[in-house]
Amino acid sequence: MMVVARFARLMGLVFLISASTAQAAPDFSDQVVPFERISQLLWRFMPEVVPEFQRAYGFRNAPDGSAVLLGKSGREVYWMDVRSKVNSLRTSRFSEFSLRDRAGSEVFGIRVKNIGVDLAPIPIDKLRKGELPVFPTQGVRFTEVTSFAMEYLQTRIRIAVSGQRVGTPGPDAMEVWCSVGSDDIPFLHYREWQTEHSRQFVYDVLAKWNGMGTRGRIEARKIQTPDMLVGTEEFRINGREVGMNEFQTVLNASVISMAEDFRGSLDSFLRYFALTLQ
């Protein structure tokens, strides 16, 4: 349970998941947080922080995409490996951002596999900045698997996204599984559906988290027909209809709290590296 709890606190990829945007109509009010809003919030961490980190501690590129992080004394401390490749049919893409110590052991890594159509490799300069393709935007049907590892915290997170789109840019249906450890123990399950005039999502929190107990379900639905200026929103907690205030309280105590703890763990990761590179 401790492993599940720790790994739930480190949700990502969230996750880890995204600089890309998946807009769906009708959209929810600002207080309601579907999956893509968490993804947009968290994933900006990599492209915002990685270049600054590289400038502060020295950075030397190699033509193959690898690079060396230099300590203040100028000695080589860590190696960065980045790559992105697609298959001959352009239906599968693998992208990687990895940091290894002098002994060759990985201390931090993110790997993303995309399944779609007309996929292209991510340019090396973008990968070096941490701009990985962590939210699918291409293809009527799509699959994505993101694995995230921080070895010094003994943490591994896997985020699997699948779904289909009826058009551009929003998803018609989407499913996300967040799991942790070598056994892929799930801690969060997200599902979303969209019709022409409605949008609905469900978070199933599968690990103990604050007021949610051992398991909890958070649901939101919005209906907006052409004759409605704003539309109506409905909320449920564990199947019980609730008002906006209770919905927000539970959402903040579970899913949002996970996201904030994940961001805090990434900050701890940077502090760890900053001390190591002195």
Side-chain angles (χ1 to χ4, degrees):
M1 286 301 293
M2 290 183 65
V3 173
V4 175
R6 180 175 64 228
F7 133 73
R9 289 195 298 269
L10 296 174
M11 160 203 177
L13 269 35
V14 151
F15 238 290
L16 300 162
I17 194 167
S18 163
S20 300
T21 303
Q23 295 292 339
D27 200 6
F28 290 96
S29 57
D30 291 342
Q31 298 91 338
V32 184
V33 185
F35 181 79
E36 80 272 3
R37 291 191 183 176
I38 292 180
S39 179
Q40 293 162 23
L41 171 69
L42 289 179
W43 198 249
R44 291 187 63 83
F45 172 87
M46 287 289 285
E48 285 178 352
V49 174
V50 169
E52 179 180 347
F53 186 69
Q54 294 169 355
R55 288 192 297 269
Y57 292 99
F59 187 73
R60 189 172 67 234
N61 289 334
D64 63 356
S66 63
V68 179
L69 286 173
L70 306 174
K72 289 187 176 180
S73 63
R75 76 183 174 95
E76 299 177 347
V77 181
Y78 289 102
W79 280 260
M80 176 188 294
D81 295 318
V82 297
R83 58 177 171 147
S84 182
K85 61 182 181 179
V86 299
N87 65 356
S88 59
L89 298 177
R90 301 178 67 185
T91 56
S92 175
R93 174 175 60 201
F94 177 80
S95 305
E96 178 181 33
F97 180 102
S98 175
L99 287 174
R100 302 180 184 277
D101 61 20
R102 292 171 61 86
S105 300
E106 184 177 71
V107 295
F108 177 74
I110 300 176
R111 293 170 182 84
V112 183
K113 181 178 180 180
N114 300 105
I115 304 296
V117 296
D118 295 328
L119 299 175
I122 307 302
I124 292 297
D125 59 339
K126 288 190 174 183
L127 289 173
R128 285 176 177 152
K129 296 175 183 177
E131 298 180 16
L132 278 79
V134 294
F135 199 81
T137 59
Q138 295 171 292
V140 174
R141 295 185 180 274
F142 57 83
T143 300
E144 170 190 289
V145 177
T146 299
S147 59
F148 175 88
M150 289 189 292
E151 288 303 317
Y152 86 104
L153 291 179
Q154 297 182 334
T155 300
R156 288 183 177 272
I157 295 176
R158 181 177 182 271
I159 302 173
V161 182
S162 62
Q164 62 182 14
R165 301 180 186 278
V166 293
T168 302
D172 176 60
M174 182 169 68
E175 183 174 29
V176 182
W177 281 100
C178 299
S179 57
V180 67
S182 57
D183 295 330
D184 276 339
I185 303 171
F187 66 89
L188 187 70
H189 183 205
Y190 175 90
R191 287 165 292 161
E192 178 183 302
W193 305 268
Q194 176 192 340
T195 66
E196 184 180 2
H197 302 305
S198 69
R199 186 182 182 190
Q200 178 179 357
F201 69 78
V202 176
Y203 284 104
D204 281 312
V205 182
L206 306 177
K208 185 174 181 180
W209 194 262
N210 293 350
M212 292 295 293
T214 56
R215 182 184 175 94
R217 174 168 290 185
I218 306 169
E219 301 178 67
R221 184 178 185 223
K222 180 164 185 177
I223 300 172
Q224 187 171 6
T225 56
D227 60 326
M228 303 172 71
L229 181 62
V230 178
T232 62
E233 293 179 344
E234 304 168 357
F235 309 105
R236 287 181 172 79
I237 302 296
N238 294 329
R240 177 175 57 89
E241 190 169 350
V242 299
M244 169 66 82
N245 289 341
E246 184 174 351
F247 173 83
Q248 283 187 272
T249 298
V250 175
L251 186 72
N252 289 339
S254 52
V255 177
I256 303 303
S257 185
M258 288 182 187
E260 290 174 345
D261 279 6
F262 177 75
R263 183 63 181 259
S265 296
L266 290 177
D267 290 340
S268 297
F269 166 79
L270 277 188
R271 287 196 295 269
Y272 167 82
F273 267 78
L275 290 173
T276 303
L277 291 174
Q278 297 298 320

